[in-house]
Amino acid sequence: MTETVLLVGGGGREHAVARALGESDADLYACAGNRNPGIAALAEGFETLDTTNPTAVTTYAREVDATLAVVGPEAPLAAGVADALDDAGVYAFGPQEAEARIETDKAFQRRFMRDNDIPGCPDFETFDDMEAACAYVDDYDGDLAVKPAGLTGGKGVRVTGDQISKAEAKEYIRESNYDRIVLEERLVGEEFTVQAFVANGEVRVTPAVQDHKRAYEGDEGPNTGGMGSYSDAGLELPFMDEDDYMAAVDVIEATVDALEGYKGVLYGQFMLTSEGPKVVEFNARFGDPEAMNTLPVLNTPFLDVLTAARDEESLPQLSFQPKATVCKYAVPEGYPTNPEAGARVTIDEENAGDALLFYASVDERADGIYTTTSRSYAVVGVADSIGEAEEIAERALDRAGTDGLRVRHDIGTADLVQQRLDHMAEIRGER
Ligand code: AMP
Ligand code: GLY
């Protein structure tokens, strides 16, 4: 039987999912708030709709006779789109609203880790009284991360001793007027991500990736959804060893055991500290950009993972090409604080050479491609080494064009990778 897959979401991550599914014999349909030209070109049908409206999504799923769905972004998961699809008889690879709380409610997530003795949980307290939170900041001996409990597109966290002072942290807490926040110990180290396919209690892990959250080169500026990312030819990154990777896998497995009934991708964001990996957060979906590092090197057909998950069969063992990847995003000027949306951009996809090009949150209209408030497109170099992959990505950006867009050119460069190694060596030296 040919599967009919409905893909929900129109970012770079979803373009990567579309391309991975395109390698199998599946009929693809997609829906998103923006018309992503890359996904639209691969899909039999593309509907522009509000993906946080469960009825709109299930109506389209029924219309196209979907046999499976993949929900890419967190907002539809938080809105119960996976529940609605499951109820409509379309298996959604993505957790139901209750399980997605592991991402959508950071206070729940921390308490869940504590209650279930999941390793790698930092010290934390949750607050709904902002004055009590400010008093805690004053009394706390050391630096803290201030985290709104709800979704902020990765842009809500402030860390003292890094981005801001404690006085500024209190100002931030008072002014932003969040309902609930988490205050937790500042973790110091190198960040990495491990994404896992999860269904029927089984877990299949993928290579570690390092994202770059800060907007500007040298890790300066505000946090973004992620400016780019790299992975190495094996499971680990240059600054970590097998034990570090396995410790992260243990955390993911313990979390899946405790969650019961979780399905979809579980994304663990870790800080590799002097005491090993600690959990920065979980996401209930593929990372964006990280999906663009992972799916292109996955040899196992992604469709086989989806059908096994739905049919309650054992998930296939995953095999990956032994290749490094470097992904770099081109984003609108002013992103993330004051992004220039609605600007027409020229993206010469044909000219991207041997790199992969993924369209992200751009909108294709009759007369061209326009920016939105989020990231525009990404290129991914795939090669034997991170250095070669980085060069492929840079060449592709140059050729595809970045007029009116901004890029972090330092991602994946030998210099920056060496800085990560030196930083980790320094931290381990303090052990
Ligand atoms: P999150 O939205 O939880 O991924 O947080 C965004 C970014 O804030 C992370 O990628 C980290 O760089 C930083 N961050 C979050 N929690 C902490 C923490 N406890 N210590 C240090 N940095 C953190
Ligand atoms: N790259 C971070 C995220 O997907 O949340």
Side-chain angles (χ1 to χ4, degrees), residues 132-142 144 166:
C134 288
Y136 184 85
V137 172
D138 278 331
D139 294 344
Y140 191 81
D141 180 22
L144 289 156
K166 279 195 169 180

mmCIF file of all heavy atoms in Angstrom, residues 132-142 144 166:
data_model
loop_
_atom_site.group_PDB
_atom_site.id
_atom_site.type_symbol
_atom_site.label_atom_id
_atom_site.label_comp_id
_atom_site.label_asym_id
_atom_site.label_seq_id
_atom_site.Cartn_x
_atom_site.Cartn_y
_atom_site.Cartn_z
ATOM 1 N N ALA A 132 8.251 36.851 44.616
ATOM 2 C CA ALA A 132 8.941 35.741 45.285
ATOM 3 C C ALA A 132 10.119 35.275 44.430
ATOM 4 O O ALA A 132 11.200 34.944 44.943
ATOM 5 C CB ALA A 132 7.966 34.586 45.536
ATOM 6 N N ALA A 133 9.936 35.296 43.124
ATOM 7 C CA ALA A 133 11.019 34.902 42.213
ATOM 8 C C ALA A 133 12.190 35.871 42.348
ATOM 9 O O ALA A 133 13.352 35.462 42.403
ATOM 10 C CB ALA A 133 10.510 34.865 40.773
ATOM 11 N N CYS A 134 11.883 37.171 42.421
ATOM 12 C CA CYS A 134 12.949 38.173 42.552
ATOM 13 C C CYS A 134 13.703 37.993 43.871
ATOM 14 O O CYS A 134 14.933 38.133 43.914
ATOM 15 C CB CYS A 134 12.365 39.585 42.456
ATOM 16 S SG CYS A 134 11.844 39.985 40.773
ATOM 17 N N ALA A 135 12.967 37.670 44.927
ATOM 18 C CA ALA A 135 13.612 37.443 46.222
ATOM 19 C C ALA A 135 14.544 36.231 46.125
ATOM 20 O O ALA A 135 15.651 36.231 46.690
ATOM 21 C CB ALA A 135 12.558 37.224 47.301
ATOM 22 N N TYR A 136 14.111 35.222 45.394
ATOM 23 C CA TYR A 136 14.934 34.013 45.214
ATOM 24 C C TYR A 136 16.226 34.373 44.471
ATOM 25 O O TYR A 136 17.308 33.887 44.819
ATOM 26 C CB TYR A 136 14.118 32.968 44.450
ATOM 27 C CG TYR A 136 14.800 31.622 44.272
ATOM 28 C CD1 TYR A 136 14.730 30.649 45.264
ATOM 29 C CD2 TYR A 136 15.498 31.332 43.100
ATOM 30 C CE1 TYR A 136 15.346 29.415 45.095
ATOM 31 C CE2 TYR A 136 16.113 30.100 42.914
ATOM 32 C CZ TYR A 136 16.025 29.140 43.915
ATOM 33 O OH TYR A 136 16.629 27.921 43.740
ATOM 34 N N VAL A 137 16.101 35.234 43.450
ATOM 35 C CA VAL A 137 17.287 35.670 42.695
ATOM 36 C C VAL A 137 18.279 36.340 43.652
ATOM 37 O O VAL A 137 19.480 36.064 43.622
ATOM 38 C CB VAL A 137 16.891 36.640 41.555
ATOM 39 C CG1 VAL A 137 18.139 37.256 40.898
ATOM 40 C CG2 VAL A 137 16.052 35.920 40.499
ATOM 41 N N ASP A 138 17.758 37.206 44.514
ATOM 42 C CA ASP A 138 18.622 37.902 45.479
ATOM 43 C C ASP A 138 19.337 36.926 46.412
ATOM 44 O O ASP A 138 20.521 37.083 46.694
ATOM 45 C CB ASP A 138 17.778 38.854 46.342
ATOM 46 C CG ASP A 138 17.535 40.179 45.619
ATOM 47 O OD1 ASP A 138 18.403 40.566 44.799
ATOM 48 O OD2 ASP A 138 16.490 40.804 45.859
ATOM 49 N N ASP A 139 18.600 35.937 46.874
ATOM 50 C CA ASP A 139 19.149 35.021 47.880
ATOM 51 C C ASP A 139 20.037 33.939 47.280
ATOM 52 O O ASP A 139 20.816 33.315 47.998
ATOM 53 C CB ASP A 139 18.012 34.326 48.657
ATOM 54 C CG ASP A 139 17.236 35.333 49.493
ATOM 55 O OD1 ASP A 139 17.756 36.449 49.687
ATOM 56 O OD2 ASP A 139 16.105 35.002 49.920
ATOM 57 N N TYR A 140 19.891 33.689 45.985
ATOM 58 C CA TYR A 140 20.569 32.537 45.374
ATOM 59 C C TYR A 140 22.076 32.783 45.289
ATOM 60 O O TYR A 140 22.517 33.829 44.798
ATOM 61 C CB TYR A 140 19.992 32.243 43.986
ATOM 62 C CG TYR A 140 20.443 30.919 43.416
ATOM 63 C CD1 TYR A 140 19.824 29.735 43.801
ATOM 64 C CD2 TYR A 140 21.500 30.854 42.501
ATOM 65 C CE1 TYR A 140 20.241 28.509 43.285
ATOM 66 C CE2 TYR A 140 21.924 29.638 41.993
ATOM 67 C CZ TYR A 140 21.292 28.477 42.384
ATOM 68 O OH TYR A 140 21.705 27.276 41.880
ATOM 69 N N ASP A 141 22.819 31.816 45.737
ATOM 70 C CA ASP A 141 24.271 31.927 45.726
ATOM 71 C C ASP A 141 24.788 31.359 44.408
ATOM 72 O O ASP A 141 24.959 30.157 44.276
ATOM 73 C CB ASP A 141 24.822 31.144 46.931
ATOM 74 C CG ASP A 141 26.340 31.214 46.995
ATOM 75 O OD1 ASP A 141 26.915 32.160 46.415
ATOM 76 O OD2 ASP A 141 26.944 30.312 47.610
ATOM 77 N N GLY A 142 24.985 32.222 43.420
ATOM 78 C CA GLY A 142 25.471 31.756 42.124
ATOM 79 C C GLY A 142 24.613 32.297 41.002
ATOM 80 O O GLY A 142 23.647 33.034 41.241
ATOM 81 N N LEU A 144 22.050 32.154 37.666
ATOM 82 C CA LEU A 144 20.766 31.491 37.426
ATOM 83 C C LEU A 144 20.331 31.632 35.973
ATOM 84 O O LEU A 144 20.701 32.587 35.303
ATOM 85 C CB LEU A 144 19.679 32.206 38.238
ATOM 86 C CG LEU A 144 19.683 32.060 39.737
ATOM 87 C CD1 LEU A 144 18.975 33.257 40.336
ATOM 88 C CD2 LEU A 144 18.949 30.781 40.107
ATOM 89 N N LYS A 166 22.203 40.094 37.764
ATOM 90 C CA LYS A 166 21.051 39.695 38.579
ATOM 91 C C LYS A 166 20.006 40.813 38.655
ATOM 92 O O LYS A 166 18.800 40.543 38.675
ATOM 93 C CB LYS A 166 21.513 39.300 39.980
ATOM 94 C CG LYS A 166 22.055 37.877 40.022
ATOM 95 C CD LYS A 166 22.154 37.402 41.448
ATOM 96 C CE LYS A 166 22.433 35.896 41.488
ATOM 97 N NZ LYS A 166 22.528 35.415 42.867
#
